[in-house]
Amino acid sequence: MLFFTDTHCHINSDQLRGDAAGIVRRAADAGVGRILVVGSDASDSAEAVRLAHAWEREGVFAAVGVHPHDSKTVADGLPDELLRLAYDPRVVAIGETGLDYHYDHSPRDVQKKSLRMHAEWARRAGKPLVLHVREAMEDALEALNELPFDARDLKLLFHCYAGGLDALDAMRDLDAYLSLGGPVTWSGNDELRKVAARVPEDRLLCETDAPWLTPKPHRGKLNEPAFVRHVYETIAEVRGVSTEALARSTDANATRLFGWGSLYE
Ligand SMILES: [Zn+2]
Ligand SMILES: [Zn+2]
């Protein structure tokens, strides 16, 4: 039996929110039994929590936080109504936060400040931290190493990992989890498939980042959690394991990280 987990998606986004019921049903039909809906700002974090309660039986959970694109909106601090969400029983992580130097939608020093605030919040709440790092790995590692506490006191997840093979050692030093998405299926992305082959078995996760980064063979459509199977199939192939073996090992990893029940027990 095959059960899949999508450790990162945005069915709370403007693009997907209106079809949330259909998306959750299609995911269940495709064997996706755990879906982590991730917040990008205070309002869609609240929406993520609402969806996690509405679709509890379907295995929907929430992460709450402010995306690095929007960190300028929290330059003076994270709002109380957002901070409170961390204590909701359906919230299993803080994020996504991090650094995005590709778009630079917020000033870099403000992105770093927001990352620090999220890290401290995750530590207080005792929940893992979901990191989005794009073209900023060196600064992200520096920011984590400069926290007023040991970054390894946090459980870290680098989502949609694009750090290359050379950053894998730093990931190991941080005990960090890495999650890979649709780009691993794309033609011409051999570098990322090399990464997929090398991530330690007990630190690997799979995601969609829906509605973006749609995997083959659905490119051109909006992404959704039901498509996560293609991410699993590609990664299983490059690692030389069966899709079921990968589904089981990543289920164990996600269960260890997020504290939700295993799909295989
Ligand atoms: Zn992201
Ligand atoms: Zn995301």
Side-chain angles (χ1 to χ4, degrees):
M1 196 52 199
L2 275 172
F3 296 112
F4 300 107
T5 293
D6 181 356
T7 55
H8 193 111
C9 69
H10 300 274
I11 61 178
N12 51 342
S13 62
D14 291 344
Q15 294 95 320
L16 299 184
R17 184 184 302 205
D19 188 27
I23 287 168
V24 170
R25 183 177 41 75
R26 289 192 292 279
D29 289 347
V32 182
R34 293 278 178 270
I35 297 173
L36 183 57
V37 182
V38 178
S40 304
D41 60 30
S43 121
D44 82 352
S45 290
E47 179 67 7
V49 175
R50 197 189 67 74
L51 290 166
H53 281 278
W55 304 104
E56 190 168 336
R57 265 194 313 155
E58 288 73 15
V60 177
F61 292 83
V64 294
V66 179
H67 196 281
H69 289 343
D70 290 314
S71 38
K72 57 179 177 285
T73 64
V74 291
D76 296 327
L78 300 169
D80 282 343
E81 77 264 23
L82 177 63
L83 293 171
R84 268 197 300 275
L85 292 175
Y87 301 95
D88 186 286
R90 302 298 292 170
V91 171
V92 294
I94 302 303
E96 64 186 295
T97 183
L99 305 176
D100 192 314
Y101 293 176
H102 182 76
Y103 288 106
D104 276 326
H105 285 327
S106 287
R108 293 181 179 184
D109 57 324
V110 174
Q111 295 189 42
K112 286 181 195 167
K113 182 180 178 194
S114 178
L115 168 52
R116 275 197 304 278
M117 290 190 296
H118 280 79
E120 285 169 9
W121 179 24
R123 183 167 180 249
R124 278 199 309 278
K127 300 203 171 165
L129 186 65
V130 178
L131 292 162
H132 166 116
V133 179
R134 188 152 181 210
E135 294 169 25
M137 189 55 84
E138 218 170 291
D139 278 19
L141 294 173
E142 191 181 286
L144 290 167
N145 284 319
E146 285 174 356
L147 290 172
F149 54 89
D150 189 336
R152 284 167 303 182
D153 291 350
L154 293 173
K155 290 180 176 177
L156 300 170
L157 165 56
F158 286 79
H159 109 85
C160 203
Y161 181 76
L165 281 170
D166 49 330
L168 286 181
D169 287 341
M171 298 293 112
R172 192 169 298 129
D173 291 343
L174 285 168
D175 266 335
Y177 290 79
L178 275 63
S179 130
L180 298 173
V184 80
T185 69
W186 297 352
S187 317
N189 228 343
D190 293 335
E191 266 318 294
L192 192 56
R193 283 186 282 278
K194 280 185 199 152
V195 168
R198 292 268 291 278
V199 177
E201 186 185 14
D202 63 351
R203 287 294 178 268
L204 177 63
L205 297 166
C206 300
E207 65 171 68
T208 58
D209 207 11
W212 303 287
L213 306 176
T214 309
K216 273 206 316 193
H218 299 291
R219 291 196 77 182
K221 284 194 233 169
L222 279 182
N223 200 1
E224 60 178 80
F227 297 163
V228 77
R229 169 187 202 112
H230 305 293
V231 175
Y232 281 85
E233 285 170 351
T234 297
I235 296 176
E237 191 184 325
V238 300
R239 292 175 74 87
V241 298
S242 69
T243 304
E244 181 175 355
L246 181 69
R248 284 178 178 274
S249 63
T250 51
D251 169 78
N253 295 344
T255 299
R256 192 184 322 115
L257 180 60
F258 297 122
W260 58 36
S262 165
L263 294 166
Y264 284 94
E265 276 163 15

